[in-house]
Amino acid sequence: MFYIGVIFMYDYSVCPHYDILCIDLKSFFASVSCRLKGLDPKTTKLAVVGDTKSIGSVVLAATPELKKLGIKTGSRLFEIPARSDIYIINPSMKIYLDYSMRITEIALKYVAPEDFHQYSVDEFFMDVTHSYKLFAASPRELAKKIKDEIYETTLIECAVGIGDNLLLSKVALDLEAKHMPDGITEWRYKDVVEKMWHIKPLSKFWGINKKSEKKLNQRGIFNIGDLANYPHEYLKRDFGIIGVDWHLHANGIDFSKISEKHKVHSPSIAKSQILMRDYKFSETYVVLFEHVDEVTHRLRLMKQLVRTVQFSVGTKDGHIYRKQFTIKEGTNSEDIIIKHVWQHLKQIADPYALYRTISVTLTNFIPDSQKQVSLFQDVDKMLKEEALMKTIDALKVKYGQLSVMRAISCTEASTLKLREGLIAGHKR
């Protein structure tokens, strides 16, 4: 779609003009795994899966050649063709993190730590506005220099998006740089109409998910140009501050600055898991209890009480049952939380379905010093329970999660032992 004669609402001359690099390590897990085996990631068909011994295990990463066969992140092990030219391996999280650290050290040769932001293990931002002239004639030239050094040091390919702000560099990376012959592209404010406004579906754009896309579609907004030209006051009315952000972003505007450290105003503690097999409804209780045990353990170490609890379970067919509830006085007791969770879940979930995902999230915290005691509570019993929880927490901190387990964690449905010693949920 072409936009002719559009009157711009924003004056880009007063917007921030930085030189931001967004760098993505291509198929990082799969590429590192290939290099460890002396293989070329560009020509090898390789998948990294959560557990090669479990047929239902999830594909964590795949090389470009394997993706051509329809296997991608989120596919299952049983979907991978049984072929001699396809490598299937377990993840090596410690090695992946070692590679990531080596690449971070390269990046920090060119910017100060406050101008570097690690977005994920395989993606990071660099603000080179004030430093690129020390090493190159232009931001693009520096991007190539960093890209080449990363490859020479680790044999890992990367792509680089360059922009006037974090948003433009990220969108440039995701939508164009990864497909360019040299893996580098540059988007500036002047490119917004030509390069951004045609983007559709909306969920391809950073910050817009499928659910939001559907709501925007109902208002006649189908691409980023539609969003950029939709009255911002209506977006604010219908979506709140996020609607204003969408409007700014659709016009290429982002006031974020790497050096201004983000402050978490609404902290949360969460635990989620993709199950390695189909679980009956009754079996989900075991995993839910283990998740609640873990998040409340972390909650107590933070000396906090939780007021808001959210949980969800997902069926093998992709249906999600979720619920959020509030405990007005706050608690850090796993027994209280699991009691509420299970009561709610029995009311909303299909008892005959098979389940594959589980998640528990705690939000809305208050200091545990504000704990209130009801006149109807047995104070002696409560103090004994708190003393027991403190002892268990101390043992887990000193000897690990498996040092104290509930009896249900010895059943077949338990995943606790499988997760012990993992990094980010995966093998070291």
Side-chain angles (χ1 to χ4, degrees), residues 267-313:
S268 64
I269 301 175
K271 176 69 184 176
S272 61
Q273 186 177 4
I274 299 175
L275 303 170
M276 289 296 103
R277 62 173 174 84
D278 296 335
Y279 270 57
K280 296 178 182 178
F281 179 70
S282 59
E283 292 180 302
T284 63
Y285 178 82
V286 176
V287 186
L288 277 167
F289 210 152
E290 290 177 341
H291 282 33
V292 170
D293 255 340
E294 183 172 330
V295 294
T296 50
H297 168 66
R298 290 154 59 187
L299 181 72
R300 290 191 293 269
L301 294 181
M302 293 168 56
K303 299 185 183 303
Q304 299 287 305
L305 303 175
V306 63
R307 281 177 165 165
T308 304
V309 179
Q310 183 184 81
F311 67 89
S312 69
V313 295

Side-chain angles (χ1 to χ4, degrees), residues 367-380:
D368 60 8
S369 59
Q370 296 182 20
K371 188 169 186 175
Q372 298 179 3
V373 180
S374 167
L375 291 173
F376 302 100
Q377 281 183 292
D378 185 333
V379 177
D380 288 337

Side-chain angles (χ1 to χ4, degrees), residues 266-268 305-308 326 362-366:
S266 300
S268 64
L305 303 175
V306 63
R307 281 177 165 165
T308 304
T326 299
L362 309 182
T363 57
N364 190 11
F365 302 147
I366 58 173

Side-chain angles (χ1 to χ4, degrees), residues 407-423:
I408 59 173
S409 291
C410 296
T411 63
E412 185 182 347
S414 171
T415 65
L416 185 60
K417 289 184 178 180
L418 294 174
R419 292 185 281 114
E420 179 69 6
L422 303 183
I423 298 177

Side-chain angles (χ1 to χ4, degrees), residues 140-361:
R140 189 183 187 96
E141 186 177 308
L142 178 59
K144 184 178 186 309
K145 182 180 181 69
I146 295 171
K147 183 176 184 294
D148 291 344
E149 187 170 346
I150 289 173
Y151 185 77
E152 290 167 5
T153 305
T154 65
L155 295 179
I156 301 300
E157 297 273 4
C158 67
V160 187
I162 307 170
D164 281 314
N165 54 46
L166 273 77
L167 171 77
L168 287 174
S169 68
K170 172 64 174 168
V171 178
L173 169 74
D174 289 342
L175 299 181
E176 190 170 89
K178 294 178 181 180
H179 309 291
M180 299 295 284
D182 64 352
I184 302 174
T185 196
E186 188 169 357
W187 286 17
R188 300 292 182 173
Y189 290 122
K190 63 182 178 61
D191 301 310
V192 169
V193 173
E194 179 185 351
K195 294 191 173 185
M196 273 181 41
W197 281 12
H198 65 85
I199 296 171
K200 66 178 182 180
L202 295 169
S203 53
K204 285 178 63 178
F205 193 70
W206 185 82
I208 301 178
N209 58 29
K210 289 283 188 181
K211 187 175 180 180
S212 298
E213 176 188 347
K214 185 176 180 180
K215 291 180 179 179
L216 290 168
N217 288 167
Q218 292 170 348
R219 290 161 176 79
I221 303 171
F222 294 96
N223 62 26
I224 297 302
D226 295 336
L227 183 58
N229 288 281
Y230 197 83
H232 67 86
E233 58 268 26
Y234 295 159
L235 290 171
K236 183 177 182 180
R237 178 196 65 192
D238 296 342
F239 300 100
I241 191 64
I242 189 66
V244 178
D245 286 341
W246 285 340
H247 197 267
L248 289 168
H249 292 173
N251 283 282
I253 298 172
D254 177 17
F255 295 101
S256 305
K257 192 173 181 181
I258 293 176
S259 59
E260 295 175 354
K261 301 303 180 185
H262 174 64
K263 294 182 180 179
V264 178
H265 297 288
S266 300
S268 64
I269 301 175
K271 176 69 184 176
S272 61
Q273 186 177 4
I274 299 175
L275 303 170
M276 289 296 103
R277 62 173 174 84
D278 296 335
Y279 270 57
K280 296 178 182 178
F281 179 70
S282 59
E283 292 180 302
T284 63
Y285 178 82
V286 176
V287 186
L288 277 167
F289 210 152
E290 290 177 341
H291 282 33
V292 170
D293 255 340
E294 183 172 330
V295 294
T296 50
H297 168 66
R298 290 154 59 187
L299 181 72
R300 290 191 293 269
L301 294 181
M302 293 168 56
K303 299 185 183 303
Q304 299 287 305
L305 303 175
V306 63
R307 281 177 165 165
T308 304
V309 179
Q310 183 184 81
F311 67 89
S312 69
V313 295
T315 69
K316 63 177 295 185
D317 301 319
H319 188 82
I320 305 293
Y321 296 99
R322 59 168 54 91
K323 180 73 176 181
Q324 179 174 296
F325 61 88
T326 299
I327 301 173
K328 187 177 180 181
E329 67 277 11
T331 186
N332 58 13
S333 168
E334 57 266 36
D335 292 324
I336 292 174
I337 293 174
I338 190 62
K339 180 181 178 182
H340 284 287
V341 167
W342 193 243
Q343 284 177 344
H344 285 297
L345 188 59
K346 286 192 295 184
Q347 294 173 3
I348 63 174
D350 181 354
Y352 303 106
L354 296 175
Y355 293 85
R356 273 303 184 96
T357 63
I358 286 179
S359 173
V360 176
T361 303

